[in-house]
Amino acid sequence: EGRWAVSGGYDGTIRLWSLESGMVKLILMGHVGWVNAVVVTPDGRRAISSGSDGTLRLWNLDTGIEERTLTGEESKVLALAVTPDGRRAVTGGNDGRLRVWNLDTSAIERTLTGHRGSVRAIAVTLQGQWAVSASDDWTLHVWNINTGEVERTLNGHAGGVNAVGLTPDGQRAISGGDDGTLRLWNLG
């Protein structure tokens, strides 16, 4: 709805902010250590956070209650995205792997391997079939998250890739890197 913003902090909290008033509506506590990433599900009802404590936490934004803690991550989660249906999350860590989580069962569905450096950012297409990951290894990978296969590797940055976003039609990706450039990629 564009009325709220969510932030994660070094104090282990997640804050839900009103964009209209600038005030905090909820403070969610549970992580030990800092919050690396937080994302809101497309329906706006839940948030998923990753912390330096090695956990993912699923929060109900209506009540402020933690619904569950997801464990099994083998590395620090640096990047986090959610599928458009809100049923799966994709995480990326400092081990260069991505993991696809089923948020209904709290289980890891599959582990995606292919990067040689930390995964810094992830974006998922509106269809929920592909994820694009940005890495310290100077590349982006386009993954089929249903099969776990790398469909394409995008080369061109002269340094680690810090950010990735997708156009609304899912046909192009935009990445930003340590080399000081933004790059536009045709995915179609």
Side-chain angles (χ1 to χ4, degrees):
E1 299 171 8
R3 297 184 353 215
W4 305 98
V6 179
S7 66
Y10 283 115
D11 61 358
T13 64
I14 294 103
R15 297 179 193 276
L16 181 63
W17 300 84
S18 166
L19 293 177
E20 184 177 303
S21 70
M23 303 298 290
V24 174
K25 176 187 175 187
L26 287 173
I27 299 175
L28 311 173
M29 294 182 282
H31 284 289
V32 177
W34 62 88
V35 176
N36 295 327
V38 61
V39 65
V40 176
T41 58
D43 64 7
R45 299 194 63 177
R46 298 189 298 178
I48 305 150
S49 59
S50 67
S52 62
D53 58 6
T55 64
L56 294 175
R57 295 177 189 263
L58 187 61
W59 306 90
N60 182 313
L61 293 178
D62 293 328
T63 64
I65 295 172
E66 181 184 332
E67 292 181 359
R68 70 180 73 101
T69 301
L70 290 74
T71 58
E73 184 67 52
E74 298 170 14
S75 70
K76 186 188 310 180
V77 175
L78 304 174
L80 176 61
V82 67
T83 58
D85 63 7
R87 299 188 68 207
R88 296 192 289 178
V90 182
T91 60
N94 59 359
D95 64 357
R97 297 178 181 178
L98 283 78
R99 289 171 180 83
V100 180
W101 296 80
N102 182 312
L103 296 178
D104 295 328
T105 66
S106 302
I108 297 173
E109 290 182 356
R110 64 187 42 84
T111 300
L112 315 177
T113 59
H115 281 297
R116 295 182 322 273
S118 297
V119 177
R120 294 184 179 181
I122 302 169
V124 177
T125 61
L126 288 177
Q127 300 80 11
Q129 184 174 355
W130 292 282
V132 181
S133 58
S135 174
D136 277 345
D137 67 7
W138 302 17
T139 69
L140 294 103
H141 286 326
V142 180
W143 304 87
N144 182 318
I145 61 175
N146 294 319
T147 66
E149 300 296 320
V150 174
E151 301 220 340
R152 290 178 72 185
T153 298
L154 307 174
N155 293 296
H157 280 285
V161 187
N162 298 316
V164 63
L166 299 172
T167 57
D169 63 6
Q171 297 298 307
R172 294 184 287 178
I174 302 146
S175 60
D178 286 342
D179 59 4
T181 66
L182 291 174
R183 298 193 180 258
L184 182 63
W185 307 91
N186 184 357
L187 301 178

